[in-house]
Every structure is written in structure tokens, then in C-alpha cells.
Amino acid sequence: MDKDEDTVSDVKMQEARRLAKKDSALAAIRGRSERDRKLAPSQQSPFQGNSTAKLIIPNTKVGRGYDPFSLPDKQLTKALMDHVKKDPNWRKSFDRKPKRCLSYWYQHMDAYINVLRLRQRNNLNHFRSERICFLDHLFSRMWRDKYEEFKSSEPDHNGLGRRLPGGSWDLYAGIVPTFCASNKTWGVDIDEMYAPVNFQNDHWIAIWISIPKRHIVVWDNIVKHISKAELYEIMEPFLTMVPYLLVECASTDEERIKYSLEPFTYERQTVGVPQCIAGDCGVYALKYMECHALGYTPFPAAFCEKNVKQIREKMAHDIFHETPGFEGIEDKSSYYNDLDTYG
């Protein structure tokens, strides 16, 4: 037997582990819903209401809490550059620098997602809604990688029971990503999700998933790079598995009927979406999500290729100074250990 081939016992152990994670995540959700949370004034949200009534408390400013294109602080930038200069290769041109694995590239995307998650936790009213969350690249990467397993698995008589990616329930419960975990449940506390999506290891786009609208918006900074057929292939796992997860995790028959297994719709917005040149796609994907979550729609005029060097510098500055422990970059792996969730 091929030693790379899973034995029957291996498969059973993997399935048991997967189901244990599902039970653990759903138990965490039940525990939350059973608690009567009484928040101190300092902990109260600037929003009021539940999933059906989302009113902003009068006289409380919500959204546009900061300028996503503000200039970098010169003093703080100097501290960042002093750190960069510790790298003996910092002056070398890109093609002469030591080659790094692709995961390092992905981690740079997640590092800025962590900045946004931290800002949201610390200043919720800076964003246009409390019912949004930011997902990292592992969500989109793993859901696309595992989609064939989902499609090939057999459903039960209710259309459920397919093999969702192993970490899906933790995502649904807001347990992952673990950095500044939201601990908010999709469809109950969360209406919208933002995530970066990679195409063929050479291009980044951003997606905005709306649960109430059952719709996904794609922001692509080099539209001609991905054909319509390729875009559908990219989007199909999210269109299919997001509603599927909502139905499978629903606690009542009424909720299952409300969510439905029907796939979501999607569109690639082109009007008013800033475009870039090759090499800046990751910056643009992150800034699409940040601007929209802050309530800057349409996208500001400052969001343009002329300013991209300044935008990059400010993002590096924010990652370095706002993310705890980022100056110890070699120890940064602790922020990216969620991959085990999908095992």
C-alpha cells in the first residue's frame, strides 16, 4: 500500500477530530446564547438592537473613525526603518534578496488584517457597523482547497451532512482567526465578512460577503487578470458553502428555512473601483476592505496609484507599531497557527 495513502483508521480518526471541532464550536455558541451578558458602560456598543433592529444610539458617531490614507508619522517611520536596517539584505534589490516561501507573502496580508481586527476591537465605533468581521487568507485558501471534498461528499436526505472544511464551525462561531477573535456568530451577531482571496499565487482580490443580501461583492484591482470563467471558479466555494454552513449550524428548523441552501449571488464591481499595476494588488485588496468597513464609499480620491508608495509605507508603519510583538518578526509564527484548525 502507498504509504502516503490514508488507511481506514486514519480516515476515521480525521473524521472524529473534525466532528469534535464542530461539537466544540457549537457548544461555545450555545454557551454564549445562554449567558445573560450585563455590560458595564465602558463595554457597551455604540449600536443598539439585535439582528433585526440595528439602530445607532443617538449622538454617537459611527464610521469614518480615522483617515485610511493619512500620512505616516516621521518619527515612528524612523523607528521602523531603524528596525529594517538590522536586516543585512535590506539594501539589496528585490531580485537579489533571499527567496522566501509563499506563506511569508500570505502572512504580510494577514498582518494587516490583524491591524484591522485590533482596531475594530479597541474602537468599534470607528467602523460603519458592529456586525462585520475581517477574515484572514486561511479562510479563502482552505475553503477553495477543500471544495472538491465538499462537492464529492454525499448529503443526507435533507441535503446536509456534506464534508465542510474542518475549521468552518470555528469561523462560524468567531473563534478563528484567533488574533482578536470576535467570538461573534455568523448570521446572529455578524451580517458581513471581508476576506482577501489569492488567485494562482500571483494576484490578490477582496470579497465582501453579505449574509442578509445573500450576495458577495468582488473588488479586483486588475480586472483583465481574471476571466469571468476563472472568477466563477474562484467564487463557487463561497457561494455554495457559506449558505450551507449557515443552514447546517442553524439551531431551529425556522432558521434553516430562513437561510436556505440556495447559493449566494455575486458580482465583480468595476465602476469606481481603483485600479493598480502588477505588484500592488495586495495593498489594494486590503485597502478596499478597510475603506468599505470604515464607511468610505465611494472609495476616496486619495486611493490611487500615485499614492501607493506612501500607502505602503503607512501600512508597514501601522503593522509594526500597532500589532503586539511584531517587532519580534522571527517569533511572529504564533499569530499564524490557525492552519491546524483545518486539519
Side-chain angles (χ1 to χ4, degrees), residues 27-45:
I29 294 169
R30 287 193 296 272
R32 270 183 234 151
S33 62
E34 289 164 6
R35 284 196 303 269
D36 180 21
R37 292 180 290 178
K38 295 183 179 179
L39 302 180
S42 62
Q43 296 173 300
Q44 288 176 355
S45 166

Side-chain angles (χ1 to χ4, degrees), residues 19 49 64 92 94 124 126 131-132 136 139 203 211 285 341:
L19 294 177
R64 300 197 175 202
K92 292 181 180 178
F94 182 77
L124 190 60
H126 284 183
R131 300 179 61 80
I132 62 175
D136 59 23
F139 159 68
H203 185 56
I211 294 174
T341 299

Side-chain angles (χ1 to χ4, degrees), residues 85 89 120 164 338:
K85 289 174 184 177
N89 299 299
Q120 186 186 31
L164 283 161
D338 293 329

Side-chain angles (χ1 to χ4, degrees), residues 8-292:
V8 172
S9 60
D10 288 337
V11 172
K12 286 182 177 178
M13 286 176 62
Q14 290 170 9
E15 185 64 12
R17 183 184 178 209
R18 201 176 68 89
L19 294 177
K21 288 181 178 180
K22 175 183 178 181
D23 292 342
S24 175
L26 296 183
I29 294 169
R30 287 193 296 272
R32 270 183 234 151
S33 62
E34 289 164 6
R35 284 196 303 269
D36 180 21
R37 292 180 290 178
K38 295 183 179 179
L39 302 180
S42 62
Q43 296 173 300
Q44 288 176 355
S45 166
F47 301 84
Q48 64 184 11
N50 54 28
S51 60
T52 56
K54 295 160 286 190
L55 302 175
I56 297 172
I57 296 173
N59 303 319
T60 302
K61 182 182 177 182
V62 174
R64 300 197 175 202
Y66 63 87
D67 179 2
F69 300 104
S70 61
L71 293 172
D73 179 279
K74 290 184 179 179
Q75 189 173 355
L76 294 179
T77 299
K78 182 182 181 302
L80 171 60
M81 286 308 300
D82 288 343
H83 177 76
V84 169
K85 289 174 184 177
K86 294 177 184 178
D87 180 356
N89 299 299
W90 82 278
R91 282 191 176 275
K92 292 181 180 178
S93 61
F94 182 77
D95 60 332
R96 294 181 61 204
K97 289 182 185 290
K99 301 299 181 187
R100 296 186 183 271
C101 65
L102 283 171
S103 64
Y104 193 81
W105 186 38
Y106 294 138
Q107 287 176 12
H108 279 82
M109 297 292 289
D110 288 350
Y112 199 73
I113 291 289
N114 283 349
V115 170
L116 298 178
R117 293 171 68 83
L118 184 62
R119 288 175 178 173
Q120 186 186 31
R121 185 190 70 181
N122 292 342
N123 296 284
L124 190 60
N125 63 320
H126 284 183
F127 296 84
R128 62 179 179 80
S129 172
E130 67 170 354
R131 300 179 61 80
I132 62 175
C133 70
F134 297 96
L135 304 175
D136 59 23
H137 91 278
L138 287 176
F139 159 68
S140 57
R141 177 181 166 191
M142 290 301 164
W143 274 39
R144 292 181 63 209
D145 285 351
K146 301 286 187 179
Y147 185 55
E148 287 306 316
E149 287 185 21
F150 171 83
K151 282 206 303 185
S152 62
S153 59
E154 289 294 326
D156 61 21
H157 65 284
N158 292 316
L160 301 174
R162 287 186 183 275
R163 187 180 175 85
L164 283 161
S168 299
W169 306 285
D170 287 342
L171 282 163
Y172 173 82
I175 297 169
V176 296
T178 54
F179 185 86
C180 292
S182 71
N183 293 309
K184 292 182 176 182
T185 306
W186 291 9
V188 178
D189 312 299
I190 294 293
D191 286 335
E192 303 168 39
M193 296 90 78
Y194 297 96
V197 181
N198 186 267
F199 174 66
Q200 296 184 347
N201 294 324
D202 71 357
H203 185 56
W204 288 100
I205 60 175
I207 60 173
W208 164 39
I209 303 171
S210 172
I211 294 174
K213 294 179 181 178
R214 302 181 59 83
H215 188 68
I216 303 177
V217 171
V218 180
W219 294 303
D220 187 355
N221 41 69
I222 308 176
V223 173
K224 292 181 180 178
H225 192 74
I226 302 176
S227 70
K228 288 183 178 180
E230 288 170 330
L231 184 61
Y232 177 75
E233 186 178 340
I234 293 169
M235 296 304 299
E236 187 180 4
F238 313 117
L239 302 175
T240 305
M241 290 197 290
V242 170
Y244 196 94
L245 178 62
L246 291 168
V247 172
E248 182 156 288
C249 293
S251 57
T252 65
D253 289 339
E254 289 78 11
E255 284 185 1
R256 293 186 186 94
I257 293 169
K258 178 182 79 171
Y259 288 127
S260 161
L261 292 175
E262 282 295 309
F264 281 13
T265 56
Y266 78 103
E267 65 177 309
R268 175 163 52 184
Q269 283 189 352
T270 54
V271 177
V273 178
Q275 297 293 286
C276 72
I277 61 173
D280 295 331
C281 57
V283 171
Y284 273 61
L286 291 165
K287 282 297 177 181
Y288 291 144
M289 295 183 283
E290 181 180 17
C291 288
H292 193 270

